[in-house]
Amino acid sequence: MEWLRSAACVDEDPELFFPVGTAGPALRDVSAATRVCARCRVADACLTYALSNGRASGVWGGPCEEERDALLRTTRTTSTTRTTGTTRTTSSTRTT
């Protein structure tokens, strides 16, 4: 984790990146943490670390918990599809 020394968050309050709750002040903290990540030159390494090591809480590399969950689901689905060689298609039916 050598990249951590170069992170924009190194001098920030760690609590900013681990808000408690899902409304009000917690949303403001997530927004502020995301802005710090947006100016960070090692955000990609940070996000990769979080995804690879199962960091479920906090803001890592920009995405919040819910966004990383979505990234992990997409990655797993894509990986499973490639591994099994299947292609998923969806069809919609139209009623008149």
Side-chain angles (χ1 to χ4, degrees):
M1 290 186 21
E2 184 70 26
W3 53 265
L4 188 55
R5 294 180 205 186
S6 301
C9 63
V10 75
D11 292 323
E12 299 286 339
D13 181 357
E15 289 186 18
L16 180 68
F17 297 88
F18 297 94
V20 177
T22 57
L27 292 178
R28 286 190 294 276
D29 286 351
V30 167
S31 181
T34 300
R35 285 192 303 275
V36 172
C37 294
R39 63 180 167 79
C40 183
R41 65 183 190 178
V42 297
D44 289 341
C46 183
L47 177 58
T48 299
Y49 172 80
L51 293 173
S52 300
N53 292 285
R55 298 295 179 195
S57 61
V59 175
W60 291 81
C64 66
E65 298 167 17
E66 293 81 14
E67 293 166 331
R68 277 196 321 283
D69 285 344
L71 284 171
L72 284 171
R73 279 193 303 277
T74 301
T75 302
R76 285 184 197 127
T77 301
T78 303
S79 177
T80 302
T81 302
R82 280 193 205 132
T83 302
T84 61
T86 59
T87 303
R88 291 184 190 178
T89 58
T90 55
S91 61
S92 59
T93 56
R94 196 171 162 193
T95 58
T96 55

